Amino acid sequence: MSDLFSSSDIDRNAPLAEQLRPQTPDEVIGQQHLLGPGKPLRLAFASGQPHSMILWGPPGVGKTTLARMMATQFQCEFIALSAVFSGIKEVREAVAQAEMWRGQGRRTILFVDEIHRFNKSQQDGFLPFVESGLLTFIGATTENPSFEVNSALLSRASVYVLKSLDEAEMGQLFDRACAQALADLNFAESARERLVGLADGDARRLLNLLEQVRTAAHTAGLAEVDGEFIEQTVAQNLRRFDKGGDAFYDQISALHKSVRGSNPDGALYWLTRMLDGGADPRYLARRIIRMAWEDIGLADPRAMQIANDAAQTYERLGSPEGELALGQAVIYLAVAAKSNAGYMAYNAARAFVAKDGSRPVPVHLRNAPTKLMKELGYGHAYRYAHDEPEAYAAGETYLPDGLPEPDWYQPTPRGLEGKIGEKLEHLRELDRKAKGK
């Protein structure tokens, strides 16, 4: 195998990230849980047969590199689209190009970066061409594909989770870059540690930082780079996403758990730390809304409204003004009464339905818009709740025949949910009396 990084192979005018882009799985730094011996992507490369997949992971971990590598290894034509800049027109053009190549006996890999930015109809547009084998689809996303990728497309693709590079892997990349493309500079250990820390597991970010440092050092006429020089030339103008080296999702987890733990100061700390580091406020707004529904629920329905209002306020004002709304939202959520009763009830219902059969709707609950349906008994004996005492049809059942009351929703005694619990208990007592009669 030729040396990817020999002087004859490197285009010195290309960006450093492009100069050092791996061409084979053996040259990839990191992702050994996927590329190590016997691991999923290693086996995929060995098979020689491309398959559709979703590559999910943070920025700068090699999603685009792996997609290009697959096209090379499998001898496929490669079309790259960005969901940020592309639409149906570009997808149609890609399909036409793939059809032309298929006529010539050549296979096509279509790579869509940031696939989560495509809407449902745009994602649906890939399905017939993936199913027909015209395209091997590779999507890349920084968002959870379970939430951002259509289930139909997701079911036709394998999902591979890529991880941020750890400190040792970032150091390995740093050393490789210095040896192959920055041989004219000497980096003190303090500079190396500072740059690896600032890159925060993002390989592309590290290489971009090294390019900035190289330009600054050459401009200053320096051959020795230390930590102080990094602080003066790079760190002052770099928004640090993770000052302590924690992973992105660890900080999200800390924010969520601070809210759940009713600690407004902790919630504010993690929110502002992520904002300071460049996290997308819209992403944080979505997570804040999720926290309101998951951890507060019906104990304080105002929390959901405040979370939604904060997200809308940010959309209207942007940064930095709109960030204040997010800050006040997490304070409210932190001090609000807590309940996960609705969250647990929903999960229990979903789990039950997933494993249960398709029970028919009871006849008395069926709609009867036609004469035939009425003759068949649809809607017969249905009791209109508004005509009953307390607007409640005591003793009536609303579940499929033979299904006992599961009691999934168990309200807590906290906040408004305490009142909800009292009402439900009163209604159950009416049911017991009605059934006793």
Side-chain angles (χ1 to χ4, degrees), residues 166 168 386:
D166 61 28
H386 292 289

Side-chain angles (χ1 to χ4, degrees), residues 8-288:
S8 61
D9 291 331
I10 292 178
D11 178 0
R12 297 294 178 180
N13 294 320
L16 191 56
E18 193 61 36
Q19 293 180 37
L20 302 185
R21 187 184 295 277
Q23 301 297 309
T24 70
D26 290 331
E27 294 165 355
V28 175
I29 294 175
Q31 314 312 327
Q32 289 307 295
H33 65 294
L34 297 176
L35 292 169
K39 299 302 183 180
L41 282 184
R42 174 69 69 169
L43 295 175
F45 277 112
S47 73
Q49 295 297 320
H51 63 274
S52 294
M53 64 185 69
I54 304 291
L55 301 175
W56 171 28
V61 295
K63 297 186 290 292
T64 302
T65 293
L66 285 173
R68 291 183 179 276
M69 190 183 299
M70 289 173 190
T72 301
Q73 295 285 306
F74 298 140
Q75 297 182 333
C76 296
E77 299 297 337
F78 186 79
I79 299 176
L81 299 179
S82 169
V84 177
F85 303 110
S86 303
I88 294 296
K89 174 178 177 289
E90 287 75 17
V91 173
R92 288 174 177 165
E93 292 173 351
V95 169
Q97 184 68 59
E99 288 175 336
M100 184 193 74
W101 282 329
R102 182 165 66 174
Q104 301 171 357
R106 294 140 71 188
R107 297 177 298 182
T108 301
I109 286 179
L110 175 63
F111 174 66
V112 181
D113 196 16
E114 300 195 70
I115 180 63
H116 59 275
R117 298 291 188 96
F118 272 158
N119 60 34
K120 182 181 186 299
S121 63
Q122 289 171 315
Q123 292 185 26
D124 283 343
F126 296 115
L127 291 176
F129 308 109
V130 173
E131 291 176 339
S132 69
L134 175 64
L135 297 171
T136 297
F137 174 81
I138 301 179
T141 179
T142 56
E143 303 285 340
N144 189 330
S146 298
F147 308 127
E148 304 294 343
V149 179
N150 287 357
S151 58
L153 183 57
L154 198 60
S155 68
R156 292 161 175 81
S158 299
V159 177
Y160 297 109
V161 181
L162 280 68
K163 301 177 181 179
S164 297
L165 275 65
D166 61 28
E167 186 174 346
E169 291 164 343
M170 291 293 281
Q172 185 181 350
L173 178 62
F174 183 96
D175 294 340
R176 178 183 289 184
C178 290
Q180 303 298 336
L182 299 170
D184 56 337
L185 290 178
N186 292 321
F187 287 86
E189 185 61 26
S190 59
R192 184 180 189 273
E193 291 178 357
R194 194 73 186 96
L195 286 169
V196 167
L198 288 169
D200 188 28
D202 184 329
R204 182 172 57 246
R205 189 177 193 182
L206 176 61
L207 296 177
N208 289 342
L209 287 172
L210 283 169
E211 284 195 300
Q212 295 177 40
V213 171
R214 177 174 61 185
T215 299
H218 288 171
T219 301
L222 297 177
E224 302 284 338
V225 177
D226 58 18
E228 183 178 354
F229 183 76
I230 300 300
E231 287 290 337
Q232 293 173 350
T233 60
V234 176
Q236 289 181 356
N237 297 317
L238 181 67
R239 297 189 74 189
R240 294 165 290 181
F241 180 70
D242 189 355
K243 300 173 183 176
D246 298 329
F248 171 77
Y249 289 105
D250 286 344
Q251 293 187 42
I252 281 290
S253 177
L255 170 60
H256 196 152
K257 286 170 179 159
S258 297
V259 167
R260 182 183 295 148
S262 300
N263 190 309
D265 289 341
L268 274 178
Y269 171 80
W270 292 112
L271 175 72
T272 55
R273 178 162 164 179
M274 297 188 79
L275 289 171
D276 174 70
D280 183 355
R282 293 178 179 84
Y283 172 80
L284 295 175
R286 293 197 300 271
R287 293 302 298 256
I288 290 168

